[in-house]
Amino acid sequence: MAEQPACAGGAAPRLAVRVVFLLGRPGSGKSEFYNVARRVLHERHGGLRCVRFDDVRRLREMAAGEHDGHRYLIPDPRTGGFAVRDFSVFTLVLRHLASEVQRALAERDDSVVLVEFARADNVDMLLAAFPRPMLDKALIVYLHVTLARSIDRTRRRVDEQARTVSMDHAVSADVIRTVYAAGDRD
C-alpha cells in the first residue's frame, strides 16, 4: 500500500489508501488476506491498525430476525448459514457497512479498513453505497476462485467450524451455486 514516510517522533504514517475492498466468492481467501494484511501493517508499518468489516457477518446478524418489519433472510439449520429470501438485503447491508466504515475512518487516522464482500457480480452497486471521498482513498482487490473451488473450500471450512462450534462463514453449496455463480469469469 502506498504511504508517506512516518512522521517525526514515531507517529503513524499518513496513508494514501485508507480502505481496501476485498471482493470474491466464499472460499476465495478474503479472510486470509485480511489476516496477512493485519499482521504486515502492524509489524512493518509502525503498529498500524487494521479494522475489518464483512457482509457475511452482517447478513448473519440480519438472519436472526426482522428489520424494518421485513424478513430478508431465513436461517438454514442444515448448514448453520442462511438462505436469502429478498435480494434487496444486499443494498441494505451495503448502506450499513458504508456508515460503519465512515465511523471507523473518522475515529482514527492510524488505521486501514478492510471491507470483505462475498459478491463481485455488481461492483457498481457496491461502490455506489460508499461516498466518493472514501473511494478516492480506496483500493479494490478481487480474489478469483472457481465455483467448484469455492464450494470445496467452503465445505471444508464448514466441516472445520462444525468441530469448533464457530459457524460464522457457513454458506451452503446451494447458495453458492445460485447466488455466486453468475457474474464471475467461469
Side-chain angles (χ1 to χ4, degrees):
M1 279 175 239
E3 63 182 63
Q4 297 174 0
C7 300
R14 296 181 56 90
L15 301 171
V17 172
R18 293 288 315 275
V19 180
V20 178
F21 293 103
L22 298 174
L23 310 175
R25 289 178 171 143
S28 62
K30 296 179 300 296
S31 295
E32 184 62 24
F33 184 103
Y34 166 79
N35 290 330
V36 170
R38 181 185 62 188
R39 188 183 84 250
V40 168
L41 286 170
H42 182 75
E43 291 173 0
R44 296 185 186 170
H45 298 285
L48 283 175
R49 199 170 77 110
C50 203
V51 181
R52 178 185 192 180
F53 295 99
D54 88 59
D55 61 343
V56 173
R57 283 187 179 85
R58 171 65 67 187
L59 288 165
R60 178 170 305 288
E61 291 167 8
M62 293 182 75
E66 291 185 5
H67 297 273
D68 300 326
H70 190 68
R71 190 166 193 87
Y72 294 93
L73 305 163
I74 303 167
D76 183 351
R78 295 173 302 132
T79 65
F82 50 83
V84 178
R85 183 175 176 194
D86 178 345
F87 286 92
S88 69
V89 70
F90 295 115
T91 302
L92 184 63
V93 166
L94 290 174
R95 284 192 216 127
H96 284 289
L97 286 174
S99 294
E100 290 176 4
V101 170
Q102 281 187 294
R103 272 194 303 276
L105 292 172
E107 287 174 8
R108 295 180 62 160
D109 62 0
D110 67 340
S111 59
V112 173
V113 176
L114 279 86
V115 187
E116 296 180 33
F117 293 104
R119 294 182 56 88
D121 60 341
N122 193 337
V123 175
D124 292 336
M125 179 183 76
L126 183 155
L127 297 178
F130 291 85
R132 180 63 193 223
M134 184 187 303
L135 295 175
D136 288 342
K137 289 193 161 213
L139 176 68
I140 299 173
V141 176
Y142 174 70
L143 302 171
H144 178 262
V145 65
T146 65
L147 187 62
R149 180 123 173 136
S150 172
I151 291 169
D152 180 59
R153 289 184 74 183
T154 303
R155 185 174 292 137
R156 282 189 278 142
R157 179 173 54 214
V158 168
D159 290 346
E160 176 64 30
Q161 288 176 347
R163 288 191 290 275
T164 64
V165 193
S166 170
M167 300 291 281
D168 70 336
H169 272 64
V171 181
S172 72
D174 291 340
V175 169
I176 292 172
R177 282 187 197 96
T178 57
V179 175
Y180 301 102
D184 215 312
R185 296 187 320 218
D186 54 22

